Amino acid sequence: MKTISVKASKAYDVVIGEGLLPQSGDYCQRALGGICRLCVVTDDKVAPLYLNTVVTSLEAAGFDVFYYVFPNGEASKNTENLVELLEILAENRLTRTDALVALGGGVIGDLTGFAAAVYLRGIRFVQIPTTLLAAVDSSVGGKTGVDLAAGKNLMGAFHQPALVLCDYTTLDTLEPAIFADGCAEVIKYGVINDRPFFDLLKDGVKNRIEEVIAACVQNKANIVEADEFDKGTRQLLNLGHTVGHAIETRSDFAISHGSAVAMGMVIVTRAAVAMGLCPEADLNALITLLRAEDLPTECPYTDAAELAELATADKKRAGDTLSLVLPYGIGDSRLYRLPVSELEVFIEKGLTT
Ligand code: NAD
Ligand code: GLY
């Protein structure tokens, strides 16, 4: 078992271990400083697997618990469900001393965290991630939010959890493609700033799961502590995401987020090689590692102008320049300001094998 302290504007622990769900009551009691009412929020895939264990443990610890189950999938991360949840909290008379528990992947974590951020101008919440992506990324760092019709994550708030409880045995029930999606984010940390970690991943993410999750969480904690509100360094976490979002959108979301990020990382790294900034051997190492985790590396779309157009709809655009993350080598990624007018040529370089 490993515990990592995140020292953001509000400090909290991320506890990573095996078989932690049956102890969630005790962990929540310690993190919340006593007994209160809790609303556990989850989805209809996770509920039959883990809700009962969590609710039983919370009740055994003395909490007064109720729960709410949303349909699974990104489509649930919307304003209608946000308001529905807020109304449920109000009907159940949750007060400022009460709390929410997000049991699920990034969709449930983002939605529940945002409800906690705005209900009564902010109440506490606990993250219990059950996907690899949520364990290594979305449950840590306090970004919460929902999607708007105009795009993903356009409504949100920074609101740090009181505790992140990561029982990685829950990952055993994930569909392989969803586990692979999380692997893209894991590999991303190595490419950003940790070459030894990237090399360790050659043993296989599953074979070193506790060590891998802990390293990613520590890496994310360091980045969040340096730039909680996403003004600079934290943008490094967007490696592969700007082009990845364009690919996801172009596929009408038939290509998953993790697959699109994998392709996006290859595109920006290949472009960096073409610009003479990154050694070709590092591009090849990245492609090998992504393939070993069953992730695609080549983008099925070849129209650079179309991808550039879709990428510039991304909210990270500031005026006439884009903030891209470029690997100058594995473990050495840097923010790179690129004029929007040059993006098409940049993507063209990244698509050309
Ligand atoms: P998800 O929450 O939709 O989960 C993927 C699928 O796995 C769902 O069908 C879910 O029901 C199922 N599932 C979850 N846990 C399971 C388990 N243990 N066993 C079997 N099935 C399980 O998706 P995700 O990939 O976890 O998260 C994606 C979301 O995270 C996106 O909305 C993205 O915007 C967000 N995100 C947020 C941040 C952040 O910093 N807040 C960072 C990255 C991504
Ligand atoms: N996943 C991006 C961030 O937390 O900043």
Side-chain angles (χ1 to χ4, degrees), residues 137 143 220 234 237:
D137 192 355
K143 278 191 184 176
K220 180 143 187 190
R234 189 166 178 168
L237 294 170

Side-chain angles (χ1 to χ4, degrees), residues 7-256:
K7 295 170 202 73
S9 50
K10 199 175 78 60
Y12 55 96
D13 283 346
V14 181
V15 184
I16 302 154
E18 222 172 334
L20 296 178
L21 287 194
Q23 302 171 59
S24 42
D26 292 339
Y27 279 104
C28 284
Q29 199 184 48
R30 265 174 263 149
L32 298 171
I35 300 301
C36 59
R37 294 201 83 196
L38 293 178
C39 176
V40 181
V41 184
T42 189
D43 73 34
D44 58 1
K45 256 195 193 169
V46 175
L49 296 167
Y50 305 115
L51 181 59
N52 189 42
T53 305
V54 171
V55 169
T56 302
S57 174
L58 293 171
E59 286 179 342
F63 288 102
D64 178 11
V65 187
F66 65 104
Y67 58 83
Y68 202 71
V69 181
F70 286 105
N72 75 89
E74 183 70 29
S76 275
K77 216 176 94 174
N78 61 38
T79 50
E80 288 79 11
N81 283 348
L82 171 71
V83 172
E84 192 175 311
L85 178 55
L86 294 173
E87 292 288 2
I88 295 287
L89 303 180
E91 278 166 25
N92 282 275
R93 304 197 187 287
L94 240 70
T95 69
R96 281 221 176 96
T97 54
D98 297 325
L100 307 188
V101 176
L103 172 67
V107 165
I108 289 299
D110 282 9
L111 173 64
T112 308
F114 190 40
V118 295
Y119 182 69
L120 300 180
R121 299 190 181 84
I123 65 170
R124 297 167 302 168
F125 80 115
V126 170
Q127 291 266 22
I128 305 186
T130 64
T131 64
L132 181 58
L133 179 143
V136 301
D137 192 355
S138 62
S139 66
V140 179
K143 278 191 184 176
T144 70
V146 294
D147 303 333
L148 298 181
K152 264 175 66 107
N153 299 325
L154 291 182
M155 178 189 269
F158 289 97
H159 188 55
Q160 302 292 341
L163 166 72
V164 182
L165 191 64
C166 174
D167 178 346
Y168 54 77
T169 52
T170 61
L171 308 183
D172 294 344
T173 53
L174 283 178
E175 284 170 23
I178 294 177
F179 187 85
D181 270 353
C183 288
E185 305 290 353
V186 168
I187 293 168
K188 183 188 76 176
Y189 286 107
V191 181
I192 292 174
N193 62 12
D194 196 343
R195 174 101 215 192
F197 176 66
F198 182 91
D199 290 336
L200 173 146
L201 293 176
K202 290 169 189 159
D203 291 349
V205 171
K206 258 204 182 111
N207 296 328
R208 293 197 173 226
I209 195 70
E210 182 171 295
E211 201 178 346
V212 163
I213 295 173
C216 294
V217 168
Q218 186 61 64
N219 197 327
K220 180 143 187 190
N222 295 344
I223 289 175
V224 168
E225 285 165 13
D227 178 27
E228 180 173 351
F229 299 107
D230 212 6
K231 305 279 185 223
T233 312
R234 189 166 178 168
Q235 291 166 21
L236 289 171
L237 294 170
N238 295 330
L239 172 67
H241 282 59
T242 301
V243 181
H245 283 156
I247 296 169
E248 253 183 305
T249 310
R250 171 65 182 79
S251 77
D252 212 6
F253 296 90
I255 295 179
S256 70

